[in-house]
Amino acid sequence: MKPRDIMFASHRDACILSKFSFDLSVKLEAAYSRLGLSQNVIGYRKLGKANYHFSADAREFALQNSPCVILTFDISGFFDNLDHGLLKSRLKRLLGVAELDPAWHKVFRHVTRFSKIDLQDLEAHPVFSERIKSTSKRMIATIEEVKAANIPIHQNKTKVGIPQGTPISAVLANLYLIDLDQEMVQLCQKRNALYQRYSDDIIVICSAADEGEISLRFAQLVADHKLSISREKCERVDFKSFGHQAIQYLGFDISPEGALIRASSLSRQWRKLLRSIRKTRTVGLEAVGSGRSKAIYTKKLRKRFSPIGVRNFSLYSRKSAAVFGGKGILKQVRRLELAADRAIRELREL
């Protein structure tokens, strides 16, 4: 998983940014439809599909065009390096204006010259740290309280970068790459290749003969956008009808034989399960020992790690397995579910 600094807007700012994000999304969706990009830019959009659908679609395209080459690219520090000048020019073009009106100018300045407070600084404060731990919905602090407590406020004084996590960040990030998306889609369509982009994760499926041209053009376009490719995170595989070499895309290892959930994602779920079991046991035994409970309650544990009617990893995995077909993913998640079920039975016997 990529390390990312996520920033949250204040309640008031989030409401304002949400309104402008919606207005901009409507215009960007119209542009995608007009330019023929609706099926190629798949991140941060309401397309009625999950990432396993897009990953399965990519694998199916590769199977239909096998033998072929699958290339995945990653843009280094995507949100942190968006050039403000390029972003502003694309925003004005999409809005159809020569200059931003006062309202849009304030919004643009707000997300480019943003100020932030580090969570660690709030956690180190005796009052704010207690508010963070509290289950109350009251605010952690007002800006006046932050200033009075001498909590550092950091401002972005560079000409690059927008915060990741605000209501408008995703649509601005997609807008920034609209020219790159258009050129790559046009080139790939001419070469009977596939181009898909989910934020800064890009996949290209093409013939070996076209690989050099497409890779070179993509690198040029990334440089034109004042960004760089993270070479150590890029992958390349020769995809044939029969073979065992897999490539990672949108959380899955896809190969001609099928698909599996990435090992790192599965390991993370196993760690969460073990932590939850320990916590349930500790809290439950304490409650039983103090007389507040007659048994250890395991309902939350079951809801979190069983394929029941809530959104959890188990249901997600089973939906993925249904879309990809095959038994690989189902076997992965069944082992996790059986471990959870076994732990629940043991806790009930304590």
Side-chain angles (χ1 to χ4, degrees):
M1 179 179 289
K2 301 177 185 177
R4 299 183 186 274
D5 291 327
I6 304 299
M7 304 181 199
F8 299 93
S10 67
H11 292 301
R12 184 189 65 177
D13 290 348
C15 290
I16 296 171
L17 293 177
S18 294
K19 192 274 180 187
F20 281 84
S21 176
F22 175 80
D23 293 344
L24 192 62
S25 295
V26 171
K27 291 184 178 294
L28 187 58
E29 287 296 324
Y32 283 154
S33 179
R34 185 176 66 254
L35 298 172
L37 305 179
S38 295
Q39 302 304 312
N40 304 94
V41 182
I42 57 177
Y44 311 127
R45 299 175 60 211
K46 296 180 180 179
L47 298 175
K49 290 184 175 182
N51 61 336
Y52 45 78
H53 289 109
F54 298 116
S55 187
D57 289 344
R59 177 177 174 271
E60 183 61 27
F61 182 92
L63 286 172
Q64 292 178 358
N65 292 273
S66 177
C68 59
V69 172
I70 301 182
L71 308 167
T72 59
F73 301 96
D74 182 275
I75 297 177
S76 301
F78 183 41
F79 283 83
D80 296 334
N81 292 291
L82 301 186
D83 181 83
H84 295 167
L86 290 178
L87 180 59
K88 189 174 185 179
S89 68
R90 283 156 178 70
L91 178 59
K92 290 190 293 185
R93 186 178 66 193
L94 186 65
L95 296 175
V97 297
E99 293 297 336
L100 298 179
D101 64 32
W104 261 112
H105 178 76
K106 289 182 179 179
V107 168
F108 184 80
R109 182 175 177 81
H110 185 76
V111 295
T112 54
R113 302 287 287 180
F114 60 90
S115 297
K116 67 174 183 176
I117 300 166
D118 289 335
L119 178 61
Q120 294 88 338
D121 292 331
L122 293 175
E123 291 175 332
H125 190 275
V127 175
F128 303 150
S129 62
E130 290 303 313
R131 293 180 185 175
I132 292 172
K133 297 174 185 176
S134 173
T135 57
S136 171
K137 294 183 179 180
R138 68 162 293 175
M139 68 178 70
I140 297 172
T142 65
I143 191 64
E144 290 76 15
E145 288 178 315
V146 169
K147 291 179 178 178
N150 293 319
I151 300 293
I153 300 176
H154 310 279
Q155 185 181 33
N156 180 32
K157 297 182 179 180
T158 70
K159 295 183 179 181
V160 299
I162 63 173
Q164 183 175 0
T166 78
I168 202 171
S169 298
V171 66
L172 287 177
N174 271 344
L175 173 61
Y176 189 86
L177 291 181
I178 190 169
D179 291 352
L180 180 150
D181 293 329
Q182 184 180 7
E183 288 209 36
M184 286 300 298
V185 168
Q186 290 175 348
L187 174 59
C188 287
Q189 286 178 343
K190 292 178 181 177
R191 301 292 182 267
N192 191 35
L194 174 70
Y195 168 86
Q196 278 187 352
R197 180 177 66 80
Y198 190 106
S199 187
D200 54 348
D201 290 321
I202 297 99
I203 190 169
V204 171
I205 303 176
C206 62
S207 68
D210 295 321
E211 176 188 356
E213 177 190 8
I214 292 175
S215 296
L216 179 60
R217 186 56 185 146
F218 178 74
Q220 291 171 338
L221 288 169
V222 170
D224 290 344
H225 285 68
K226 301 183 179 181
L227 298 169
S228 60
I229 298 173
S230 179
R231 297 292 179 184
E232 65 275 11
K233 295 180 181 179
C234 297
E235 290 188 271
R236 177 197 183 279
V237 301
D238 290 307
F239 194 93
K240 301 177 181 179
S241 297
F242 298 96
H244 299 282
Q245 192 172 12
I247 194 165
Q248 294 183 359
Y249 183 53
L250 300 183
F252 299 92
D253 290 332
I254 57 176
S255 70
E257 282 70 33
L260 293 172
I261 295 172
R262 288 177 59 180
S264 59
S265 299
L266 201 60
S267 297
R268 188 161 55 250
Q269 290 301 317
W270 276 99
R271 290 194 296 271
K272 289 180 179 180
L273 172 62
L274 295 176
R275 284 197 300 267
S276 296
I277 292 171
R278 288 196 296 268
K279 183 177 180 180
T280 301
R281 180 185 291 110
T282 300
V283 174
L285 288 176
E286 192 277 330
V288 172
S290 64
R292 291 183 291 106
S293 175
K294 294 182 179 180
I296 297 176
Y297 291 106
T298 58
K299 184 177 180 180
K300 289 184 178 179
L301 192 62
R302 184 173 293 280
K303 287 180 67 175
R304 190 174 180 186
F305 296 99
S306 300
I308 56 179
V310 294
R311 294 178 61 183
N312 60 23
F313 181 79
S314 180
L315 278 178
Y316 167 83
S317 300
R318 287 175 172 271
K319 290 179 180 179
S320 302
V323 170
F324 278 106
K327 298 181 179 180
I329 294 176
L330 201 57
K331 288 181 180 178
Q332 288 178 304
V333 70
R334 280 295 291 151
R335 285 194 288 268
L336 186 73
E337 292 168 354
L338 289 172
D341 189 62
R342 184 167 55 252
I344 289 170
R345 291 198 306 270
E346 291 173 354
L347 288 171
R348 285 179 171 178
E349 294 172 357
L350 293 177

